Amino acid sequence: MQRRTLMKAALTAVTLTALQATTALAENTVLKIGFVGVTSGPAAAWGISNQRSMEARASWINETGGYTIGGTTYDIEIVSFDDQKDPKRAIAGMEKMAQEGIHYVVGPNVDDGAAAVRPVAEANGIMYFPYAFPKSLYQAPASNAVLGMVANYQSGPAIYKYLMDEKGVKTVAFIAANESDPLSQRDGGVEAATALGMEVVSANVTYQVDTTDFTPVLTPVMRSRPDLLVLSGVSPANAPQLIRSARELGFQGVISTETAQDAGVLAEGAGDLANGFISVGGASTPELASPMMNEFVQRYTDMFGEYNDESNTKVYALEYILETLKADPSAITDVDAFQATMDTFEAPNPYMNGDAKLRYVGMSSFGQKRQVSVPLVVNVYQDGEFETLFVAEVD
């Protein structure tokens, strides 16, 4: 009898301990942050990098006790929606976020999607952080979109100027997919190159995104003999095909783009032919990366089995959202308060060494602070990896 009583007492203690642990875990309120972007198709790498960055960071926050805003500790839940690079699906995704009462969303990844969701975001009190470049999204009277990276009209001139000074580049040709996003980036590139005094020798050749043989597309461009070939707005899937075709046609000049790329995809699709290819990288380098950035990379890799350099940029959006909410807790349900906080917001940048700050920029480009401040890191691909070419800042 005594043994049975002792066993019952022990079981009761274990049950109470388990209940207490469960209660402790359940004490945190859940804060939902949305993601609407492309995670399938030729441009999938862009959105996958976003989603995985958010999920890796949220898991880390939750594992270490949650995130405290205004005296309340939250577990972070990422609610994701694949818009398949389709504006109609992007609208559906943003509507889903509104239905779930989500006020902060990362994405979409392309111009059409970011423009399409604007009415839904503004009507439902949603701040969204797109990776799309139309200035109209960030200039007044627009107020709910915040650019999550460096735009092509900010990175393009920096790349062209570097190549003029360091490589003696004088002539440039542009090629773009026949879609609004790449065509817009091409036009911006042409304008920037012309302003710098470069000679644009070809800018009217386009291709369909499902093209598999780029030799006929590139042949007329190669006849113009440019020093620099710019792949405007090129997706990670199309980049290695274009590079391979250009090199096989005998092009020996520089090839660049203002979009982020995937080293693994380049290695698989173009191999050594991609050596020397210049692209915008993630917002970090080994010298810039803080211990927290290094831990983020390790956690991301452990969670997903690989790492995408672009996530050095994509990690920032969630951090900006949470830190701005911490600065004014009323903004959790009031995006007007969030917007008011943005003008003076400043917090330590946990992902960079030194005294770098998280702050909103964009006055020069948009006339209001509607862009996150991240370093402009320009990479060159070499033997399966990205190497840092140069680092700059954007106001």
Side-chain angles (χ1 to χ4, degrees):
M1 176 70 73
Q2 184 178 10
R3 183 178 179 184
R4 183 177 296 176
T5 302
L6 288 170
M7 287 179 67
K8 284 184 69 177
L11 286 169
T12 300
V14 169
T15 302
L16 284 172
T17 300
L19 284 171
Q20 288 167 354
T22 303
T23 302
L25 288 171
E27 282 177 356
N28 289 350
T29 304
V30 173
L31 176 61
K32 294 182 179 181
I33 306 294
F35 167 67
V36 176
V38 54
T39 57
S40 59
W46 292 336
I48 289 172
S49 175
N50 272 121
Q51 183 175 334
R52 288 180 172 181
S53 296
M54 296 174 72
E55 289 174 351
R57 180 65 180 124
S59 174
W60 184 4
I61 289 170
N62 298 342
E63 178 187 318
T64 52
Y67 199 94
T68 301
I69 300 171
T72 301
T73 301
Y74 296 88
D75 283 338
I76 309 303
E77 179 182 341
I78 306 303
V79 181
S80 299
F81 186 94
D82 177 13
D83 66 17
Q84 299 175 10
K85 204 164 170 270
D86 180 340
K88 292 180 180 178
R89 281 190 57 82
I91 292 171
M94 196 64 80
E95 289 174 340
K96 169 184 167 66
M97 301 301 154
Q99 290 165 4
E100 295 203 23
I102 294 172
H103 291 282
Y104 298 92
V105 176
V106 175
N109 297 102
V110 297
D111 293 2
D112 287 350
V117 303
R118 177 181 167 185
V120 180
E122 292 179 351
N124 291 278
I126 296 173
M127 292 295 296
Y128 66 112
F129 288 64
Y131 296 78
F133 301 150
K135 291 185 178 182
S136 59
L137 293 173
Y138 313 110
Q139 293 173 327
S143 58
N144 288 46
V146 180
L147 179 56
M149 64 184 297
V150 177
N152 73 299
Y153 39 79
Q154 297 165 334
S155 61
I159 294 172
Y160 306 157
K161 184 69 164 56
Y162 173 89
L163 292 174
M164 292 173 71
D165 294 344
E166 300 296 327
K167 303 293 183 182
V169 167
K170 297 178 180 179
T171 61
V172 58
F174 293 84
I175 183 169
N178 192 21
E179 293 185 328
S180 62
D181 196 354
L183 292 174
S184 173
Q185 293 192 37
R186 178 202 63 188
D187 294 345
V190 169
E191 182 180 349
T194 302
L196 287 169
M198 299 178 75
E199 180 185 357
V200 179
V201 295
S202 177
N204 59 359
V205 175
T206 62
Y207 59 89
Q208 300 303 313
V209 291
D210 59 355
T211 300
T212 55
D213 181 7
F214 284 93
T215 300
V217 177
L218 282 167
T219 297
V221 182
M222 296 298 98
R223 291 197 190 107
S224 66
R225 298 183 178 277
D227 298 328
L228 169 65
L229 174 63
V230 177
L231 311 181
S232 299
V234 68
S235 72
N238 287 144
Q241 298 172 300
L242 282 157
I243 293 167
R244 175 174 289 279
S245 294
R247 295 305 186 200
E248 290 176 346
L249 284 168
F251 182 64
Q252 296 182 0
V254 181
I255 306 177
S256 74
T257 185
E258 285 96 60
T259 52
Q261 299 297 313
D262 187 312
V265 174
L266 289 170
E268 182 178 349
D272 291 346
L273 293 176
N275 284 347
F277 177 53
I278 295 170
S279 64
V280 174
S284 188
T285 68
E287 296 75 24
L288 294 177
S290 67
M292 185 166 169
M293 174 62 89
N294 292 330
E295 183 171 354
F296 166 75
V297 172
Q298 188 59 56
R299 285 174 173 271
Y300 182 117
T301 305
D302 291 343
M303 182 175 289
F304 301 109
E306 60 182 0
Y307 188 74
N308 185 334
D309 174 80
E310 191 184 353
S311 292
N312 293 343
T313 298
K314 300 297 179 62
V315 68
Y316 274 98
L318 179 59
E319 209 70 37
Y320 267 92
I321 291 168
L322 296 177
E323 284 290 328
T324 309
L325 293 177
K326 183 192 289 186
D328 185 351
S330 70
I332 286 181
T333 56
D334 181 2
V335 298
D336 289 338
F338 189 97
Q339 292 172 11
T341 302
M342 291 172 67
D343 283 339
T344 56
F345 169 80
E346 188 173 275
N349 185 335
Y351 299 114
M352 288 181 64
N353 286 321
D355 59 356
K357 302 294 185 183
L358 299 178
R359 59 191 179 91
Y360 293 96
V361 295
M363 290 300 296
S364 297
S365 295
F366 314 124
Q368 58 180 350
K369 293 185 177 182
R370 287 299 182 272
Q371 182 175 10
V372 301
S373 175
V374 295
L376 166 59
V377 177
V378 177
N379 286 339
V380 59
Y381 177 89
Q382 192 67 39
D383 299 329
E385 297 180 342
F386 289 124
E387 299 175 0
T388 303
L389 194 62
F390 66 88
V391 180
E393 288 188 358
V394 171
D395 178 12

